[in-house]
Amino acid sequence: MGKQNKEGKEKKDIRYRLALIIDSTHQQIWQATFTKSGIILIATSGLVLFIAIIFSIIAFTPVRTLIPGYPDAMTKRMAVRNAMKIDSLEREIAIWDIYSKNLRNVLTGGIPVNFDSLVTSSAQTIRQSVDTSGFTESDSLLRKEISENEKYNVASGMKDIKSIEGKMFYTPAKGVITQKYNPAIGHPFIDIACTEGATVYSILDGTVISSGWNDETGYTIQIQHPDDIVSVYKHNGKLLKNVGDKVKAGTPIALTGNTGSLSTGPHLHFELWHAGEAIDPEKYINF
């Protein structure tokens, strides 16, 4: 019985030796001994390390651009360029649509649409159409009744984010959103890649409350809008408005640039605030 236990113990403790020996002199340079479990542990660790190295090379080096289907820098530039071309075509279509309506009004003896410039005309037309045909008479009466009831509601003093959902926001700049709104990672705003010198527009009617230079954010402009809404535009190349200026939705307020130490390329850093809290611009603005 003792002999069987001894043999089982020896079989369980089998060790393997790995050695480097000079063939001509049989001199041993290095050796290491392993058990079966040790070999498995070393092999597993080596495989995990190999996978980690391959992942790091693919994720953090230009090698990833060699993977078929992965978007490289050229593809991204083409996407930005195509988005801007589409925007230009949409703007031209909107201008021709307004022109044809004006021409039709003139030919039929009507009054042509009065607009300040082709830049703001499409936004004004959309807002006018919503104001005149968006609600029925019953809807208006219901809204009036609710408004009257809210006057005596104690909780009505609290700002409700739903109060801005019906507003017609003008797009601040046309381009591709390269970084989305994500407060979880400290990014409660969006970045829009644009060509340098592109026009930046006011999203709503309002008053300029800040316009100047900042070492980190470059040329920055802030606008106070009705209903406790504030919009912020950073990293501009040039500012077109000063503090105290009144602006309309769609009014050019700046030109995009790459200013400030935090900027890594031509883009617009855009923030939207309501009642002192940052909100996701993509929920209310069509980019």
Side-chain angles (χ1 to χ4, degrees):
M1 188 72 175
K3 185 177 181 181
Q4 290 179 352
N5 291 338
K6 185 175 181 182
E7 288 177 354
K9 186 177 180 181
E10 288 177 353
K11 184 176 288 187
K12 184 178 179 181
D13 294 339
I14 292 177
R15 303 178 72 85
Y16 302 91
R17 177 182 297 175
L18 179 64
L20 293 178
I21 300 175
I22 300 176
D23 184 60
S24 59
T25 62
H26 299 283
Q27 179 184 353
Q28 182 173 294
I29 301 175
W30 174 84
Q31 73 168 358
T33 57
F34 309 94
T35 61
K36 189 174 182 179
S37 59
I39 294 175
I40 295 174
L41 179 62
I42 292 174
T44 303
S45 301
L47 180 61
V48 171
L49 181 62
F50 176 76
I51 294 174
I53 292 173
I54 295 299
F55 175 80
S56 299
I57 292 174
I58 294 175
F60 304 109
T61 67
V63 174
R64 64 180 179 272
T65 59
L66 301 177
I67 300 175
Y70 190 91
D72 55 9
M74 180 65 70
T75 304
K76 293 179 180 178
R77 282 197 295 270
M78 290 179 63
V80 173
R81 192 177 297 113
N82 290 337
M84 292 177 179
K85 288 181 179 179
I86 292 173
D87 173 60
S88 298
L89 291 174
E90 290 177 347
R91 192 178 298 275
E92 289 295 328
I93 292 172
I95 291 172
W96 277 104
D97 182 57
I98 296 171
Y99 175 78
S100 63
K101 289 180 180 178
N102 260 350
L103 182 60
R104 193 181 307 118
N105 287 338
V106 172
L107 293 177
T108 57
I111 301 175
V113 178
N114 183 21
F115 53 89
D116 295 330
S117 66
L118 293 177
V119 175
T120 60
S121 59
S122 59
Q124 292 174 355
T125 304
I126 292 173
R127 291 162 62 192
Q128 289 172 3
S129 63
V130 172
D131 291 338
T132 57
S133 61
F135 312 107
T136 63
E137 184 178 355
S138 59
D139 290 333
S140 299
L141 293 174
L142 179 60
R143 289 170 181 271
K144 184 178 181 180
E145 181 181 352
I146 293 174
S147 179
E148 290 295 330
N149 292 336
E150 285 296 323
K151 289 181 180 180
Y152 307 102
N153 188 355
V154 177
S156 63
M158 299 178 63
K159 294 293 183 179
D160 186 358
I161 199 170
K162 292 183 179 179
S163 65
I164 71 173
E165 290 182 351
K167 292 185 178 296
M168 299 300 298
F169 289 89
Y170 201 91
T171 306
K174 285 296 183 179
V176 176
I177 296 179
T178 55
Q179 193 163 3
K180 293 181 174 291
Y181 175 90
N182 191 350
I185 61 172
H187 197 268
F189 33 77
I190 63 172
D191 291 328
I192 308 171
C194 310
T195 55
E196 193 162 0
T199 306
V200 179
Y201 306 96
S202 173
I203 60 170
L204 291 170
D205 297 353
T207 304
V208 178
I209 58 175
S210 176
S211 179
W213 170 265
N214 182 285
D215 290 338
E216 293 184 345
T217 60
Y219 287 109
T220 302
I221 186 169
Q222 299 182 29
I223 301 177
Q224 176 71 60
H225 308 285
D227 297 324
D228 207 4
I229 300 172
V230 176
S231 58
V232 183
Y233 316 76
K234 298 180 179 180
H235 302 302
N236 298 289
K238 183 178 181 181
L239 301 178
L240 305 179
K241 298 295 180 181
N242 299 316
V243 175
D245 288 348
K246 303 289 185 180
V247 296
K248 296 288 186 180
T251 300
I253 58 174
L255 301 178
T256 57
N258 183 27
T259 59
S261 60
L262 297 180
S263 181
T264 57
H267 76 287
L268 173 66
H269 169 113
F270 178 70
E271 301 176 13
L272 185 61
W273 296 78
H274 178 254
E277 295 184 5
I279 58 177
D280 186 358
E282 287 192 84
K283 291 184 177 179
Y284 310 99
I285 304 174
N286 184 23
F287 288 92

